[in-house]
Amino acid sequence: MADASAILDIDGTLVDSNYHHAIAWYRAFRDHGHTLPVWKVHRHIGMGGDHMVAALCGEVIEREEGDDIRAAETEHYVALIDQVQPLDGARDLIVDLKDRGRPVVLASSAKPEEVDHYLELLDARDLADAWTTSGDVERTKPNPDLVLAALEKLDGDLAIMVGDSTFDCEAARAAGVDTLAVLTGGFSAQELFDAGALSVFGSIVELRERLSATVLG
């Protein structure tokens, strides 16, 4: 694993967006008459939007209102996205990996236009080797498709993932990839370990400080 390439999640890992997404989903559900506790919405952030409605409101609401709720979430999140900021050390982590000669793919289930925004926010368009979006796959996390798509961009290189949610860990594990997790998405260390994380760090800054002692070092 010492020569592993890196697959980096974006939302909640490199940019501080999880709670903005939780508010956007909360408002989208309310627009359609479904008032959910925000904490419950947050527990599903990191899961792809194609799974969210059914996971929170059931298959009937998914069939009848799923697309409309997702469209509303997009509108609400667009209104919040300018408030999203990079997490400390996020771009520096990419630089660290590139300086070590490691290919880096940003593996996101975000919409293509959101990923474009994040690439500019992180000044990473010319730094990362490649990136994924929800448009690259039919099924998003916790399905492994996005991680598998990232592996394809690495030409099958051995890789390790960095993520913030249990869904990142589950998707990576299903793809046969180990995960280093950070707490910045709002999930506990135990939850991340239970979902398959190899190691858990308090932040990207802490991960960078211990980089030489991890499987990425």
Side-chain angles (χ1 to χ4, degrees), residues 92-128:
D92 292 334
L93 174 63
I94 304 173
V95 172
D96 289 347
L97 292 165
K98 295 299 296 180
D99 285 348
R100 288 169 169 80
R102 309 297 170 80
V104 174
V105 174
L106 307 184
S108 176
S109 58
K111 302 168 187 68
E113 60 272 21
E114 293 172 10
V115 173
D116 282 341
H117 179 81
Y118 298 149
L119 290 169
E120 296 300 322
L121 191 64
L122 292 162
D123 190 20
R125 191 176 297 277
D126 296 324
L127 189 58

Side-chain angles (χ1 to χ4, degrees), residues 48-217:
D50 52 329
H51 300 292
M52 285 283 289
V53 178
L56 284 164
C57 288
E59 293 293 343
V60 173
I61 300 301
E62 165 60 34
R63 286 196 302 272
E64 296 178 353
E65 304 175 61
D67 289 343
D68 291 337
I69 292 171
R70 279 184 284 275
E73 189 276 336
T74 297
E75 292 183 7
H76 285 299
Y77 186 67
V78 166
L80 297 170
I81 196 169
D82 285 342
Q83 298 176 24
V84 173
Q85 294 296 310
L87 285 155
D88 288 347
R91 188 178 190 278
D92 292 334
L93 174 63
I94 304 173
V95 172
D96 289 347
L97 292 165
K98 295 299 296 180
D99 285 348
R100 288 169 169 80
R102 309 297 170 80
V104 174
V105 174
L106 307 184
S108 176
S109 58
K111 302 168 187 68
E113 60 272 21
E114 293 172 10
V115 173
D116 282 341
H117 179 81
Y118 298 149
L119 290 169
E120 296 300 322
L121 191 64
L122 292 162
D123 190 20
R125 191 176 297 277
D126 296 324
L127 189 58
D129 292 276
W131 47 85
T132 70
T133 74
S134 59
D136 293 326
V137 295
E138 293 185 5
R139 302 179 305 167
T140 57
K141 293 177 287 187
N143 296 106
D145 303 36
L146 276 164
V147 182
L148 294 172
L151 287 171
E152 288 182 7
K153 293 177 184 292
L154 291 167
D155 295 325
D157 284 356
L158 183 67
I160 192 160
M161 184 162 184
V162 179
D164 68 283
S165 74
T166 55
F167 308 107
D168 294 328
C169 299
E170 290 169 9
R173 180 166 58 181
V177 173
D178 287 326
T179 304
L180 301 181
V182 288
L183 297 178
T184 46
F187 293 87
S188 72
Q190 190 59 57
E191 289 172 315
L192 295 166
F193 279 124
D194 289 346
L198 184 66
S199 299
V200 177
F201 301 87
S203 64
I204 290 293
V205 172
E206 181 182 331
L207 189 155
R208 288 186 63 228
E209 289 173 349
R210 295 175 56 187
L211 192 58
S212 61
T214 71
V215 292
L216 284 175

